[in-house]
Amino acid sequence: MDHFFFPFVFLTLLLLQHPISAANLHKIKQLRSDFFAQQTSSDDTPPTEFFEVTRPIEVPKTKPCSYQVLHHDFGYTYGKPPILANYTPPSQCTSQKFSKIVLEWKATCKGRQFDRIFGVWLGGVELLRSCTAEPRATGIFWTVQKDITRYHSLLLSDQTLAVYMGNLVDKTYTGVYHVDIAIHFYPDVKTLSLDDESNSSASAFGNGFPADLILPISRNLPLNDGLWFQIVNSTDVGLKEFKIPQNAYRAVLEVYVSFHENDEFWYTNPPNEYLSANNLTDIPGNGPFREVVVTLDGKVVGSVWPFTVIYTGGVNPLLWRPITGIGSFDLPSYDIEVTPFLGTILDGKSHSLGFSVTNALNVWYIDANLHLWLDRKSSRTEGELLNHIDKPLVESLVSDFKGLNGTFWTSAKRSILSTGWVRSSYGNITTNFIQDFAYNNSMVMEKNGDKQTLDQIIFFNDSVHARLPSPYLDSIDDTYRKFSLYLDSDERDQDNDTYLSVANVTLGFDEDKSKNSAFGFSKSSLKNVQDGQGTMVVKKNLVVQGLGETQQDYRYKSHGNCYFRKVGSSNYTILYDKVRTSCNKRSHSRLGLNFFKKFPYML
């Protein structure tokens, strides 16, 4: 999925059927146009609501102070500057202290259009990375709500809001995205004060409190694109110089990542040796492993092994109607603890953060936000990097292929450790940050490349341990992630110049967190799995029938707070939707007694 004028909806079929010729590439483009041209519906059909399954944001019972910050119709916006708006803090609110702040994106569209990547920035700080839904003739609408409380300090000063969505409109692709952005501020009922002795232990490491300052690590306006850095190959580096206040005592880098064009489906890319042996020059390669590497003044401070977000036009577009892929409406960001390195950048001079992608092809969009906690009782802090171990990436490939058929096993592992101390008015705090990664991808090519099956798992774990002086309590924050992906794509010949294009996908996002701080011990677990089965019947270059079915099981647990949802769809129709918000086994269905009723699919 991308904002370039290219039918990325069926590019997935292309990449999942490696290898494929330039002639077949043209065929897939035409299939998409014909498929949508066949869609018919009556004028009284209501618009379809699209949604990503996620846990609702917990908000206070207080009435929010809300106001709209942008309304815009995104028509022909590709290659043009981002849409800008002046942002001022909510002066009309009775309170200027907020316990929860929520960004709300609402959009509608009608006609025919591709999925588009877009970003929302405030003062150059990215608040949201997302993908649009693909419309239908009768119209669609969707809403994204994101907790942006961590940007509290940024939201209390005048800023420039920037939104970029590279859309194209012509006689064929008619969809214009009508967008409204609002921010909801929930007044703080029981305010936490950094001056309160009961909270001093938590504030000593910034726990429970948003950063005092957020610096944008993104490109500067004016631009005719998004503010993200564009990484186009494995040697490309996006760099940004910055300078921090000399009284910072904690630093966390929040990284945004998305992948497009030749690397939209990087996890399906075959090794270069396979492409060379078969003289394939128009197929994306470099193998199926990617790593985002983050450097500070040239030294590796952390890495991101990203979740395999599938955009709303990926694999088979009918899979994501109306249930969209995990992370597609709110792409995850990734935190890297930079506190151990603070001692190297507290000199009042300019320093640089860099982003690169191992094995990258064109193109990756990457930027970041640097969250800083400042010592209000001191104008200067000091620190030192005590230990830094960046174990080299270990990547291995085992290939067994003959001609266009074969099996490939790719694995990788890496560890990064950093330790450093910072001395502030809270005393001397030593922070230890560890990242551990493991990756495995098994890929099988059959039927002369017409059938591809892959099974991939990424383990992405990190730990932050802050040793605080007495009488403060140490802070321990552990996160364990498992990103799983199974893809099977096949092209099956039928009679009468007809073939079936079949794709099956299982996408998993698991995350376990535990935290021990002055606020006590907390633990949470998220298990989020999608299964999809898609089939298209193609006759003489026309899609005469298509079906996409998706089932999702979302399970979140924490202390006394649970959210479970099971939902299934067939094309645009919801078959069942079962929600449970308590930790016991009682539940309710959004469709009442008809929970297991089957509905006919519609194109």
Side-chain angles (χ1 to χ4, degrees):
M1 188 278 308
D2 209 317
H3 60 254
F4 292 94
F5 186 59
F6 191 85
F8 283 98
V9 164
F10 283 100
L11 181 57
T12 270
L13 295 177
L14 231 152
L15 297 179
L16 294 185
Q17 298 178 82
H18 296 312
I20 190 167
S21 68
N24 281 337
L25 179 97
H26 177 76
K27 179 184 71 173
I28 296 299
K29 289 184 182 181
Q30 186 61 42
L31 286 180
R32 183 186 190 280
S33 301
D34 293 337
F35 173 71
F36 282 96
Q38 294 174 73
Q39 290 185 309
T40 58
S41 53
S42 61
D43 293 336
D44 58 354
T45 302
T48 304
E49 180 179 11
F50 282 54
F51 60 93
E52 179 186 340
V53 176
T54 186
R55 182 168 58 101
I57 299 172
E58 295 181 41
V59 297
K61 295 182 179 179
T62 55
K63 183 179 179 181
C65 175
S66 306
Y67 75 105
Q68 182 172 298
V69 294
L70 180 72
H71 170 80
H72 190 76
D73 300 328
F74 289 84
Y76 201 114
T77 53
Y78 168 65
K80 296 183 179 181
I83 303 303
L84 304 180
N86 292 325
Y87 169 85
T88 56
S91 57
Q92 72 274 26
C93 298
T94 56
S95 171
Q96 290 299 299
K97 294 182 178 180
F98 309 102
S99 59
K100 189 75 69 174
I101 307 175
V102 177
L103 173 74
E104 184 174 59
W105 165 287
K106 289 186 175 182
T108 64
C109 192
K110 180 184 290 188
R112 177 186 292 156
Q113 195 51 265
F114 304 121
D115 48 358
R116 308 294 188 185
I117 195 73
F118 67 86
V120 178
W121 294 264
L122 189 65
V125 171
E126 185 160 9
L127 305 182
L128 174 68
R129 181 80 59 92
S130 185
C131 167
T132 64
E134 291 195 338
R136 60 189 307 195
T138 55
I140 64 165
F141 66 98
W142 79 95
T143 300
V144 180
Q145 290 189 328
K146 181 174 182 178
D147 185 348
I148 58 171
T149 310
R150 70 181 302 183
Y151 308 102
H152 188 281
S153 60
L154 180 75
L155 292 158
L156 295 185
S157 61
D158 292 348
Q159 306 285 350
T160 297
L161 181 80
V163 181
Y164 182 79
M165 178 198 296
N167 194 29
L168 284 162
V169 175
D170 57 24
K171 293 181 179 180
T172 302
Y173 301 99
T174 58
V176 175
Y177 289 101
H178 308 283
V179 174
D180 289 283
I181 300 177
I183 301 180
H184 307 289
F185 296 83
Y186 290 84
D188 199 348
V189 179
K190 39 184 185 177
T191 302
L192 292 175
S193 172
L194 293 176
D195 297 321
D196 193 344
E197 288 298 324
S198 63
N199 297 313
S200 60
S201 182
S203 61
F205 195 62
N207 282 320
F209 300 96
D212 300 295
L213 177 67
I214 307 173
L215 299 181
I217 311 299
S218 59
R219 296 193 296 171
N220 298 324
L221 294 170
L223 293 165
N224 291 325
D225 198 349
L227 279 67
W228 41 56
F229 296 99
Q230 297 188 17
I231 307 300
V232 300
N233 56 50
S234 59
T235 61
D236 199 5
V237 180
L239 287 172
K240 179 66 178 283
E241 288 195 353
F242 68 98
K243 185 187 298 184
I244 71 170
Q246 293 182 270
N247 63 334
Y249 67 91
R250 189 185 181 191
V252 174
L253 187 70
E254 178 193 17
V255 183
Y256 280 86
V257 174
S258 60
F259 27 85
H260 312 278
E261 294 189 58
N262 288 332
D263 255 3
E264 179 175 350
F265 310 102
W266 49 269
Y267 38 84
T268 72
N269 289 10
N272 290 337
E273 63 182 76
Y274 173 81
L275 299 179
S276 297
N278 290 285
N279 196 29
L280 300 168
T281 59
D282 56 351
I283 304 301
N286 282 4
F289 172 75
R290 300 292 184 272
E291 173 191 41
V292 178
V293 180
V294 181
T295 59
L296 174 61
D297 294 333
K299 183 176 292 187
V300 175
V301 294
S303 180
V304 174
W305 293 19
F307 174 68
T308 50
V309 176
I310 298 177
Y311 307 123
T312 56
V315 179
N316 178 331
L318 289 176
L319 296 175
W320 319 119
R321 305 178 181 206
I323 307 170
T324 70
I326 297 173
S328 58
F329 277 176
D330 184 5
L331 273 72
S333 61
Y334 307 87
D335 285 355
I336 295 175
E337 188 74 36
V338 189
T339 306
F341 295 86
L342 264 182
T344 67
I345 58 175
L346 284 168
D347 54 7
K349 299 179 181 180
S350 292
H351 297 269
S352 65
L353 279 162
F355 309 97
S356 61
V357 181
T358 303
N359 299 329
L361 296 177
N362 186 41
V363 60
W364 289 65
Y365 295 157
I366 303 174
D367 62 19
N369 308 320
L370 183 59
H371 298 249
L372 297 168
W373 285 259
L374 307 179
D375 189 349
R376 296 186 300 162
K377 297 181 180 180
S378 173
S379 60
R380 291 288 296 267
T381 58
E382 59 179 342
E384 181 183 0
L385 178 64
L386 298 175
N387 189 25
H388 177 239
I389 301 175
D390 172 25
K391 293 185 178 180
L393 172 70
V394 178
E395 183 181 2
S396 66
L397 168 66
V398 177
S399 300
D400 181 12
F401 68 93
K402 184 177 181 180
L404 297 173
N405 299 323
T407 303
F408 310 90
W409 298 272
T410 305
S411 63
K413 62 180 180 179
R414 183 170 195 164
S415 295
I416 302 171
L417 180 148
S418 56
T419 304
W421 60 263
V422 175
R423 184 176 294 114
S424 68
S425 63
Y426 297 105
N428 194 306
I429 301 174
T430 300
T431 303
N432 188 59
F433 178 56
I434 301 174
Q435 286 188 310
D436 281 313
F437 302 92
Y439 167 95
N440 286 284
N441 179 295
S442 172
M443 184 185 304
V444 179
M445 302 287 195
E446 299 175 276
K447 298 171 62 176
N448 288 326
D450 282 343
K451 177 177 173 60
Q452 183 189 34
T453 304
L454 71 90
D455 198 346
Q456 176 176 289
I457 294 181
I458 297 174
F459 294 97
F460 178 175
N461 306 323
D462 55 55
S463 174
V464 180
H465 184 184
R467 296 195 301 273
L468 280 65
S470 178
Y472 303 133
L473 298 176
D474 288 358
S475 173
I476 302 174
D477 194 344
D478 295 325
T479 304
Y480 303 93
R481 307 176 187 88
K482 183 177 77 171
F483 303 152
S484 57
L485 172 66
Y486 173 83
L487 277 175
D488 178 79
S489 179
D490 192 8
E491 186 174 293
R492 304 171 185 173
D493 290 331
Q494 307 290 302
D495 296 331
N496 301 321
D497 297 321
T498 301
Y499 69 89
L500 294 179
S501 177
V502 180
N504 298 298
V505 58
T506 298
L507 191 61
F509 185 108
D510 295 352
E511 184 175 68
D512 293 326
K513 292 184 175 183
S514 63
K515 189 169 187 175
N516 193 10
S517 67
F519 290 117
F521 178 77
S522 62
K523 188 175 183 180
S524 66
S525 173
L526 172 63
K527 310 291 183 186
N528 191 6
V529 180
Q530 285 181 316
D531 289 296
Q533 308 83 38
T535 302
M536 290 186 296
V537 181
V538 184
K539 184 173 183 178
K540 295 182 178 178
N541 223 30
L542 289 174
V543 177
V544 297
Q545 189 176 7
L547 173 64
E549 295 186 313
T550 300
Q551 307 84 40
Q552 185 161 359
D553 189 354
Y554 183 100
R555 298 172 176 267
Y556 175 84
K557 297 179 182 179
S558 66
H559 290 291
N561 181 15
C562 297
Y563 182 81
F564 306 97
R565 185 173 182 181
K566 288 187 176 183
V567 59
S569 65
S570 180
N571 285 6
Y572 290 97
T573 302
I574 294 295
L575 303 179
Y576 59 87
D577 194 351
K578 189 175 183 180
V579 176
R580 176 157 56 95
T581 57
S582 62
C583 295
N584 58 36
K585 292 187 177 181
R586 292 185 177 183
S587 62
H588 69 273
S589 168
R590 292 174 183 259
L591 298 181
L593 297 177
N594 293 324
F595 172 68
F596 290 107
K597 183 177 179 180
K598 294 289 185 178
F599 297 88
Y601 71 85
M602 59 189 92
L603 286 176

